[in-house]
mmCIF file of all heavy atoms in Angstrom:
data_model
loop_
_atom_site.group_PDB
_atom_site.id
_atom_site.type_symbol
_atom_site.label_atom_id
_atom_site.label_comp_id
_atom_site.label_asym_id
_atom_site.label_seq_id
_atom_site.Cartn_x
_atom_site.Cartn_y
_atom_site.Cartn_z
ATOM 1 N N THR A 91 -6.615 12.329 -9.273
ATOM 2 C CA THR A 91 -7.857 12.659 -9.978
ATOM 3 C C THR A 91 -8.893 13.387 -9.126
ATOM 4 O O THR A 91 -9.630 14.225 -9.647
ATOM 5 C CB THR A 91 -8.510 11.383 -10.541
ATOM 6 O OG1 THR A 91 -8.775 10.485 -9.451
ATOM 7 C CG2 THR A 91 -7.609 10.718 -11.558
ATOM 8 N N LEU A 92 -8.977 13.084 -7.849
ATOM 9 C CA LEU A 92 -10.069 13.629 -7.041
ATOM 10 C C LEU A 92 -9.648 14.591 -5.934
ATOM 11 O O LEU A 92 -10.406 15.485 -5.576
ATOM 12 C CB LEU A 92 -10.862 12.480 -6.399
ATOM 13 C CG LEU A 92 -11.618 11.590 -7.372
ATOM 14 C CD1 LEU A 92 -12.171 10.371 -6.641
ATOM 15 C CD2 LEU A 92 -12.736 12.353 -8.045
ATOM 16 N N LEU A 93 -8.484 14.398 -5.373
ATOM 17 C CA LEU A 93 -8.104 15.190 -4.209
ATOM 18 C C LEU A 93 -6.608 15.499 -4.257
ATOM 19 O O LEU A 93 -5.785 14.658 -3.955
ATOM 20 C CB LEU A 93 -8.431 14.411 -2.919
ATOM 21 C CG LEU A 93 -8.370 15.174 -1.623
ATOM 22 C CD1 LEU A 93 -9.398 16.288 -1.595
ATOM 23 C CD2 LEU A 93 -8.606 14.245 -0.459
ATOM 24 N N PRO A 94 -6.265 16.715 -4.672
ATOM 25 C CA PRO A 94 -4.839 17.057 -4.756
ATOM 26 C C PRO A 94 -4.142 16.912 -3.405
ATOM 27 O O PRO A 94 -4.750 17.072 -2.362
ATOM 28 C CB PRO A 94 -4.854 18.517 -5.194
ATOM 29 C CG PRO A 94 -6.199 18.754 -5.769
ATOM 30 C CD PRO A 94 -7.138 17.800 -5.087
ATOM 31 N N GLY A 95 -2.878 16.592 -3.464
ATOM 32 C CA GLY A 95 -2.090 16.385 -2.250
ATOM 33 C C GLY A 95 -1.440 15.021 -2.289
ATOM 34 O O GLY A 95 -1.775 14.142 -1.516
ATOM 35 N N ILE A 96 -0.543 14.836 -3.219
ATOM 36 C CA ILE A 96 0.018 13.526 -3.497
ATOM 37 C C ILE A 96 1.265 13.221 -2.674
ATOM 38 O O ILE A 96 1.806 12.122 -2.767
ATOM 39 C CB ILE A 96 0.288 13.413 -5.005
ATOM 40 C CG1 ILE A 96 0.462 11.979 -5.411
ATOM 41 C CG2 ILE A 96 1.479 14.239 -5.416
ATOM 42 C CD1 ILE A 96 0.208 11.734 -6.843
ATOM 43 N N GLY A 97 1.716 14.140 -1.847
ATOM 44 C CA GLY A 97 2.962 13.989 -1.101
ATOM 45 C C GLY A 97 3.086 12.700 -0.308
ATOM 46 O O GLY A 97 4.054 11.944 -0.491
ATOM 47 N N PRO A 98 2.142 12.390 0.594
ATOM 48 C CA PRO A 98 2.265 11.147 1.373
ATOM 49 C C PRO A 98 2.271 9.893 0.495
ATOM 50 O O PRO A 98 2.986 8.934 0.794
ATOM 51 C CB PRO A 98 1.036 11.169 2.290
ATOM 52 C CG PRO A 98 0.682 12.608 2.394
ATOM 53 C CD PRO A 98 1.025 13.221 1.068
ATOM 54 N N GLY A 99 1.518 9.911 -0.584
ATOM 55 C CA GLY A 99 1.521 8.768 -1.500
ATOM 56 C C GLY A 99 2.866 8.582 -2.168
ATOM 57 O O GLY A 99 3.331 7.457 -2.354
ATOM 58 N N LEU A 100 3.513 9.693 -2.506
ATOM 59 C CA LEU A 100 4.841 9.601 -3.115
ATOM 60 C C LEU A 100 5.882 9.107 -2.118
ATOM 61 O O LEU A 100 6.780 8.337 -2.478
ATOM 62 C CB LEU A 100 5.258 10.942 -3.695
ATOM 63 C CG LEU A 100 4.558 11.361 -4.980
ATOM 64 C CD1 LEU A 100 5.036 12.734 -5.433
ATOM 65 C CD2 LEU A 100 4.769 10.338 -6.078
ATOM 66 N N VAL A 101 5.774 9.527 -0.876
ATOM 67 C CA VAL A 101 6.684 9.037 0.160
ATOM 68 C C VAL A 101 6.525 7.529 0.313
ATOM 69 O O VAL A 101 7.518 6.783 0.381
ATOM 70 C CB VAL A 101 6.432 9.752 1.509
ATOM 71 C CG1 VAL A 101 7.181 9.076 2.643
ATOM 72 C CG2 VAL A 101 6.816 11.215 1.405
ATOM 73 N N ALA A 102 5.289 7.048 0.347
ATOM 74 C CA ALA A 102 5.039 5.611 0.450
ATOM 75 C C ALA A 102 5.587 4.874 -0.764
ATOM 76 O O ALA A 102 6.128 3.771 -0.639
ATOM 77 C CB ALA A 102 3.543 5.348 0.616
ATOM 78 N N CYS A 103 5.482 5.479 -1.948
ATOM 79 C CA CYS A 103 6.022 4.848 -3.162
ATOM 80 C C CYS A 103 7.541 4.744 -3.109
ATOM 81 O O CYS A 103 8.112 3.724 -3.510
ATOM 82 C CB CYS A 103 5.593 5.630 -4.403
ATOM 83 S SG CYS A 103 3.877 5.352 -4.846
ATOM 84 N N VAL A 104 8.203 5.782 -2.610
ATOM 85 C CA VAL A 104 9.664 5.742 -2.481
ATOM 86 C C VAL A 104 10.068 4.643 -1.499
ATOM 87 O O VAL A 104 11.002 3.863 -1.756
ATOM 88 C CB VAL A 104 10.225 7.116 -2.050
ATOM 89 C CG1 VAL A 104 11.677 7.026 -1.640
ATOM 90 C CG2 VAL A 104 10.027 8.129 -3.170
ATOM 91 N N LEU A 105 9.373 4.548 -0.377
ATOM 92 C CA LEU A 105 9.659 3.482 0.588
ATOM 93 C C LEU A 105 9.428 2.112 -0.041
ATOM 94 O O LEU A 105 10.221 1.186 0.141
ATOM 95 C CB LEU A 105 8.788 3.646 1.840
ATOM 96 C CG LEU A 105 9.080 4.844 2.723
ATOM 97 C CD1 LEU A 105 8.026 4.972 3.815
ATOM 98 C CD2 LEU A 105 10.468 4.750 3.324
#
Side-chain angles (χ1 to χ4, degrees):
T91 59
L92 294 171
L93 192 63
I96 197 158
L100 286 178
V101 169
C103 285
V104 168
L105 292 173

